[in-house]
Structures are given as structure tokens and as C-alpha cells.
Amino acid sequence: MEPPEGKAEGTPSPPTVSTRLRRIAGMAREAPEMAFTTLAHCIDVALLHEAYARRRKDGATGVDGQTAEDYEVNLTANLESLLDRLKSGAYRAPPVRRVHIPKGDGRTRPIGIPTFEDKILQKAVAMVLEAVYEQDFLGCSYGFRPGRSAHQALEALREGLMSMGGGWVLEVDIKSFFDTLDHGHLRSILDQRVRDGVLRRAIGKWLNAGVLEAGELSQPDAGTPQGGVISPLLANVYLHTVLDRWFEDEVRPRMAGRVFLVRYADDFVIVFEREADARRVADVLPKRFGKYGLTLHPEKTRLVPFQRPRHGPQGGTPTVPGTFDLLGFTHHWARSRRGYWVVKRRTARSRFTRALDRITEWCRANRHRPIAEQQQTLGAKIRGHCGYYGITGNSPMLGRFRHWVLRIWRKWLDRRSQKASMPWDRFNRLLERYPLPPAIAVHSTLRAATANP
């Protein structure tokens, strides 16, 4: 949890908030078929204070330009006003400011940036909804859930593949999921568990809030903007019904062989032991998603043979299985140090290229800054890259990334001036004074075992 920047008068005690939410969670766990009609009483000034404490204070501003520092000047009064407007129905969801960030395939991904006050209220509502839905969500779901992470999803996938000796992997891509999520279906899904008028009214206002882009206001009739605090939870609620529950209740019992699902938000794969099972599900999956207004990308959704390599007749060349991507990693079979076939992961080519493109752009724009400042920023970028991609078996790609960062840095330092060049011998002497950190697999199981013998 991110600590609050300042302790204002009336700042709540987190245990008070936690006790209330645990009570809701207990009721949801004991009555899995019950629809909650009264949840708004859980949202008070104490919960809003806690929601404020959990928000980043350095994020981009929304359409009103208000920063966290501005809002904190009269924090308690602002939160009390926000609570009154929520409970009375006077709260108005401001439009989100839309920006675009590049994707690995050359396209861009739209991101919605709510106002800071909107982020606080969305977080508070999400905390209450989370107490309910965390009792319903299944173990196959890892995205944007407390105590779960992308690395856990990757490890669960690897362990499942190793225990099955590989199989048939259905790699699925939902086309523009966050932009096409159907509001009508979402409301019907929410009706099954949450019918509180205050919370549902707030959710409806966020779904219908306009989008401000390049000075023009639009009113989308579908989707939930990425970047909104409530969006990941609503996405999980939607896909829990569309995919997770359907897979567990209807797909798994009909399979002849073993099968498992790993999902992180809208990214998921299904692994089958038998090809016939895989092809049956691949045929029916587009119909299932189409029923809820979603479309699968025809080119990015594919069935990949991923069995453990085996030698051909009379000890010939082993069969070569395919590869697939999930969460920024390419999964493939390779020999371990002891000579066994194991599933390994390496940084996906698109993610690797995108990361280096960002390094290039930063070095180009900041090449005239002091060397010490450049060293500090580039070091942070290398550590951040390793913080996600530094998993067991990916050390070669980490080393390549650092190698190319050095080459890019030298290239743009060489262009600082036409008079003073930066040949490699001079650059290597500069690195002795301003070294960049090594590329370390921080999530390596071997490193963990060494640290905790």
C-alpha cells in the first residue's frame, strides 16, 4: 500500500476500514448466490481517506488539471463533499482525458485519464466491489487482484506445461476488449451480485462519461477506458462470467484430457493435453465471446502445438514445437543445464524492440543533459526492465538489452557535438566513472535459493 503523503485531521485507521471490508467479504463467501442491495454504507470518509492513501500522487492530471497536491490542501473537506455528492446522487463523472501510447505492432493503445478526485472515488468503490468479487473469482485469474501478479501467472503456466509435458496451446487475443465491452451485458452480470443503487449509479456514470480527445468530447456507447481505476475490476467481473466460469463449469467437464486456463486481465491462454479437445474449444470460443459482444482477433488467435520435443525414428532430429507469447514473454522448449527439456521464457521480440525504441527516444531528447543525470535515469530504466523481465532463464535477453542500451547511449553522446566525438575507447573510460548497473534476473529461482539456503 502506498502511504499517504500527509496526515490530515480525521485520517482513518486502516484496521477500521479493513474490518468493514472483511465483514462484506465474509457475507459474500457464505452466500455465493446472494445479490447485495446495500453496500453504500461501507463508503464513508474513512474509506475515502484510505482510497486517497492508495492512489499515486504523481500521476497525470485529468480534464480539470487538478493535482494531488491541490486536492490535499483541503483534503478532509474535499472528501466530505465528495461523499455527500455520491450519496445524494449529485456526483457527476467528469469526462476522461484520452491519450495514446504506442503498442508493439505499430498501433497505439488509448488510455483514459480520470480526474484525481474521480480516481479516489473509483478506488473506494473498487475496494467495496473487490471484497465481494474476490470470493467469486477463480484461481485461473491473476490480473489486478490483491496478492496476485503477472509473474505468478507465468509460473502457473510453466508449471502446468511441465506437468503435462506440453500440449496444445490456444493463444487468444480479444480485439479491442476495453473499447468494446458491452454495457448492457456488464449491467446484467453486475445484477447477479451487486444491486446497490448508489454504487450502480456511480458505475453507470463512469461508463457513460465522455472522452475528451484533442479538444473534442465524444460519448462512447461501449467500453471502459483503460487507465480508469475501476476498469480492471469491471474487466475481471465481465471475463469471470464470459470465460472463467464458463470454462470451469462447461468446458472442463467435457474434455477427454487434461486442460487448464491462465488469464491475466484480457490476456489468456488455454492449454490442452489433446489436440481434439483443443480444436473443439477453438471452434466454439468465437461464438461464446460473440454472445457477449466481443470479437477474437482472427490472426492473433491461434492453436500452437507445444509438446515436449521428441526424437524422430531411430534417434533422428527431434521434433520442433511452436512458440507462443503471453505477458511479454515468448514461451519455448529448451534444454536445461542438466540436459532435460524444460519450458523457458524469453523477452518477446515486440516488447524488446519497444523498450529499446523508448531508450533511443530518451537518449536523443536528453543527450545534452549532464552525464551523471543520464547515468541515473538509464540505470533506473535498466533496473525497471529487469524488475519485470528478470525471470529464470531470461538472463541472455537481459544482457542483450543492457548491451544495446550502452550502444544507444554512446551513439547519442557521440552526437552531442560535432567537435567532440565519443569513440568506444573514450566511452569505456566514461563508463568506469559512470557505470550502468548489471542486468540481473531479480526473479530467478536460483538467486532466491542462493539467498535463502
Side-chain angles (χ1 to χ4, degrees):
M1 179 193 307
E2 180 183 343
E5 291 188 348
K7 186 176 178 64
E9 183 180 354
T11 300
S13 169
T16 303
V17 174
S18 300
T19 299
R20 188 182 301 118
L21 296 180
R22 281 199 299 268
R23 188 179 302 118
I24 295 296
M27 294 172 61
R29 186 165 50 251
E30 294 173 3
E33 304 298 327
M34 181 179 71
F36 287 82
T37 58
T38 55
L39 287 171
H41 66 279
C42 294
I43 300 181
D44 54 13
V45 174
L47 184 68
L48 291 177
H49 267 290
E50 182 67 12
Y52 165 81
R54 297 188 185 190
R55 295 309 310 144
R56 285 182 54 187
K57 309 305 186 294
D58 58 350
T61 59
V63 295
D64 61 356
Q66 187 178 49
T67 65
E69 290 76 13
D70 297 334
Y71 198 83
E72 190 181 9
V73 173
N74 296 300
L75 180 59
T76 299
N78 287 333
L79 295 180
E80 289 175 348
S81 171
L82 176 59
L83 181 64
D84 290 340
R85 283 177 279 138
L86 171 69
K87 296 296 181 69
S88 67
Y91 171 77
R92 293 181 179 273
V96 297
R97 182 169 66 89
R98 174 166 286 180
V99 298
H100 293 263
I101 62 173
K103 296 175 66 175
D105 55 7
R107 298 180 299 164
T108 61
R109 183 191 304 274
I111 298 293
I113 304 176
T115 63
F116 184 73
E117 182 176 71
D118 216 25
K119 293 176 183 178
I120 295 174
L121 185 55
Q122 287 191 29
K123 181 61 179 178
V125 172
M127 290 167 66
V128 176
L129 295 180
E130 188 178 85
V132 175
Y133 282 105
E134 272 299 312
Q135 317 315 310
D136 299 344
F137 291 157
L138 303 180
C140 60
S141 169
Y142 290 86
F144 304 101
R145 294 182 57 189
R148 291 184 157 233
S149 68
H151 290 114
Q152 290 177 340
L154 291 165
E155 190 58 30
L157 175 59
R158 182 183 183 277
E159 290 178 359
L161 286 166
M162 290 293 294
S163 66
M164 286 173 53
W168 292 81
V169 177
L170 185 57
E171 183 182 7
V172 184
D173 183 273
I174 307 175
K175 185 183 293 185
S176 302
F177 170 72
F178 282 91
D179 293 330
T180 59
L181 186 149
D182 185 88
H183 291 176
H185 286 301
L186 177 60
R187 293 188 184 98
S188 297
I189 293 171
L190 289 170
D191 282 342
Q192 300 173 18
R193 208 65 163 118
V194 175
R195 298 178 187 170
D196 179 274
V198 174
L199 268 62
R200 291 296 300 274
R201 187 164 55 239
I203 293 173
K205 291 178 179 180
W206 289 322
L207 292 176
N208 295 323
V211 175
L212 187 65
E213 183 176 3
E216 294 187 4
L217 183 64
S218 61
Q219 299 286 342
D221 56 4
T224 173
Q226 292 193 57
V229 181
I230 198 73
S231 295
L233 178 58
L234 294 180
N236 273 337
V237 170
Y238 202 81
L239 289 175
H240 170 75
T241 295
V242 175
L243 177 63
D244 303 354
R245 194 75 266 172
W246 170 74
F247 173 81
E248 193 65 30
D249 295 342
E250 300 186 32
V251 174
R252 186 191 294 274
R254 291 176 169 83
M255 298 292 98
R258 290 178 291 174
V259 59
F260 68 93
L261 163 70
V262 174
R263 180 175 69 81
Y264 188 95
D266 61 324
D267 294 324
F268 69 94
V269 295
I270 308 177
V271 181
F272 302 85
E273 184 179 24
R274 301 190 179 187
E275 180 182 1
D277 288 341
R279 296 198 178 277
R280 286 173 57 196
V281 175
D283 289 341
V284 75
L285 199 62
K287 301 174 185 178
R288 173 65 182 181
F289 277 75
K291 179 181 177 181
Y292 288 87
L294 300 174
T295 304
L296 301 186
H297 198 294
E299 297 177 359
K300 296 182 180 180
T301 299
R302 62 195 186 107
L303 188 59
V304 180
F306 197 74
Q307 296 89 351
R308 181 186 291 117
R310 293 179 175 85
H311 286 286
Q314 298 180 353
T317 304
T319 58
V320 180
T323 64
F324 68 93
D325 290 354
L326 182 69
L327 298 177
F329 290 91
T330 297
H331 297 69
H332 62 102
W333 286 98
R335 293 282 192 181
S336 69
R337 292 182 177 180
R338 297 183 178 181
Y340 301 112
W341 286 111
V342 295
V343 175
K344 290 192 174 184
R345 291 77 52 94
R346 61 174 180 265
T347 310
R349 180 181 300 177
S350 61
R351 297 293 186 91
F352 189 83
T353 302
R354 187 194 312 175
L356 290 180
D357 287 344
R358 291 174 178 171
I359 294 292
T360 299
E361 180 60 27
W362 188 91
C363 288
R364 184 194 66 78
N366 296 275
R367 62 185 183 273
H368 295 298
R369 292 183 177 273
I371 297 297
E373 183 178 329
Q374 294 187 48
Q375 174 210 26
Q376 183 177 14
T377 300
L378 290 174
K381 291 181 181 296
I382 290 176
R383 285 188 290 269
H385 186 86
C386 294
Y388 182 75
Y389 293 101
I391 65 174
T392 302
N394 198 36
S395 293
M397 292 298 291
L398 300 180
R400 285 184 58 190
F401 179 77
R402 184 181 183 277
H403 167 78
W404 279 105
V405 170
L406 291 175
R407 293 181 66 92
I408 293 168
W409 192 22
R410 189 207 68 83
K411 170 185 174 180
W412 288 104
L413 289 178
D414 188 55
R415 299 187 181 185
R416 280 162 65 103
S417 171
Q418 295 181 351
K419 297 180 180 179
S421 62
M422 182 63 68
W424 275 104
D425 56 346
R426 183 183 174 193
F427 181 67
N428 287 330
R429 290 196 301 271
L430 181 144
L431 285 178
E432 293 177 0
R433 184 176 180 183
Y434 301 100
L436 294 184
I440 297 175
V442 295
H443 300 287
S444 169
T445 53
L446 178 61
R447 178 177 298 276
T450 303
N452 302 283

